[in-house]
Amino acid sequence: MTEAEKISLNGDSLSIEDVANVAAQKTAIELNAEARLRVETASQWVASIVERGEPVYGVNTGFGIFSNRSISTA
């Protein structure tokens, strides 16, 4: 697979055609440096929430009618 057949995900420019090509295994993907930094930042944010025990909907609680239920870290 050549570089032309690779999509660099940046969080802004993904098209339906790109998704179809990836799904059909015609195109590889990679995260660009900026997107990778955003993922790492978000991961650190989630880890800090878990560490503090702060309830955040859908992160460490259930969804909908289960939103008042904590999700175990174990």
Side-chain angles (χ1 to χ4, degrees), residues 9-58:
L9 298 176
N10 62 18
D12 295 317
S13 62
L14 187 65
S15 70
I16 296 295
E17 182 181 0
D18 291 338
V19 173
N21 285 332
V22 170
Q25 298 178 342
K26 296 178 182 176
T27 309
I29 59 170
E30 66 183 2
L31 283 179
N32 74 7
E34 185 179 333
R36 187 175 302 277
L37 178 61
R38 289 195 308 258
V39 168
E40 290 170 1
T41 300
S43 176
Q44 291 169 1
W45 177 77
V46 169
S48 72
I49 287 170
V50 170
E51 187 177 301
R52 291 191 310 268
E54 179 181 336
V56 176
Y57 180 82

